[in-house]
Amino acid sequence: MRQALSDWQDARALAIEAARAAGLPEPTLADPTLPAACTMPPADAAESSTARASPGVAIRIFDPASDQPARNLPITLHFANGTKKKLVTGRSGFAFAPRGATTKAVSVTVHTEAPIAGDMTITFAPLQHGIVRIGFDRQQLMARPFDTLRLRIAGTALVIEGAKGRYERQP
C-alpha cells in the first residue's frame, strides 16, 4: 500500500509538472482509492454487535503549495480511550497507525524542531480507519540557511567566505 501511494504521488507530481510546462492549468486529480482486495468486507449483522479490528488510520502531512511531504516528522496519534501511539512520517509524508485498533483516533500532535520548536495538536472527528491529511507551510518550518552571508570582492566576482562558490556578473 505504501508503494502504491508513493507511486501515485510521483505520478501526480509528474502530471502537474507536465501541465505547467505546457502552460495548462493544474489538473484536478482524485485521491487514490484502495483496490477491493485491500478493503474490509461490509459488516454482517452478526458481526455488528462485536468489536471488529480496524484496518487502520494513516496521517499524511504535506505542504499544499508544493505538495512536498513532511519526511521524518515525529507525531503522536491520540485515541478516544486515552492511549497514544508515537509515529514518524515516512518519505511520502505518511505515518501509519497499527492495524487492529478497536478505538477511534481523535487527534494528532505534530512535534516540530527549530526554528519553530514545539508541539501542535490537531483535533479531528473520531476516526477508526481512513486518512487524515494535514497541510503546513513548509517555509515556516525550515531553518534559515545562514544568519549572515559575507562576500569578498575578487576582481569582478563576489566570493563566499568560508565556502566554495562565487557570484559572477554575466556580460
Side-chain angles (χ1 to χ4, degrees), residues 96-139:
F96 297 93
R99 293 179 56 120
T102 55
T103 186
K104 296 181 178 187
V106 294
S107 66
V108 63
T109 300
V110 180
H111 309 284
T112 58
E113 296 178 0
I116 303 174
D119 296 341
M120 173 180 31
T121 300
I122 297 128
T123 305
F124 46 85
L127 181 68
Q128 193 157 8
H129 61 274
I131 300 173
V132 176
R133 294 172 36 150
I134 299 170
F136 71 97
D137 183 359
R138 183 179 166 129
Q139 295 297 332

Side-chain angles (χ1 to χ4, degrees), residues 136-148:
F136 71 97
D137 183 359
R138 183 179 166 129
Q139 295 297 332
Q140 289 184 2
L141 296 180
M142 291 176 56
R144 293 187 310 218
F146 51 82
D147 289 320
T148 304

Side-chain angles (χ1 to χ4, degrees), residues 25-46:
E26 188 173 301
T28 303
L29 303 172
D31 286 338
T33 57
L34 293 174
C38 297
T39 59
M40 297 294 288
D44 292 337

Side-chain angles (χ1 to χ4, degrees), residues 6-136:
S6 177
D7 292 345
W8 176 85
Q9 286 179 326
D10 293 343
R12 181 179 186 277
L14 288 173
I16 290 171
E17 184 178 314
R20 286 181 183 157
L24 298 172
E26 188 173 301
T28 303
L29 303 172
D31 286 338
T33 57
L34 293 174
C38 297
T39 59
M40 297 294 288
D44 292 337
E47 289 181 348
S48 63
S49 62
T50 62
R52 276 193 326 144
S54 166
V57 173
I59 307 295
R60 179 173 186 241
I61 303 178
F62 67 105
D63 179 5
S66 66
D67 201 34
Q68 292 295 313
R71 296 180 175 113
N72 302 318
L73 189 65
I75 65 170
T76 303
L77 188 60
H78 303 266
F79 294 92
N81 65 359
T83 61
K84 300 175 184 179
K85 181 67 179 171
K86 292 188 180 287
L87 305 167
V88 176
T89 59
R91 70 182 185 107
S92 60
F94 277 94
F96 297 93
R99 293 179 56 120
T102 55
T103 186
K104 296 181 178 187
V106 294
S107 66
V108 63
T109 300
V110 180
H111 309 284
T112 58
E113 296 178 0
I116 303 174
D119 296 341
M120 173 180 31
T121 300
I122 297 128
T123 305
F124 46 85
L127 181 68
Q128 193 157 8
H129 61 274
I131 300 173
V132 176
R133 294 172 36 150
I134 299 170
F136 71 97

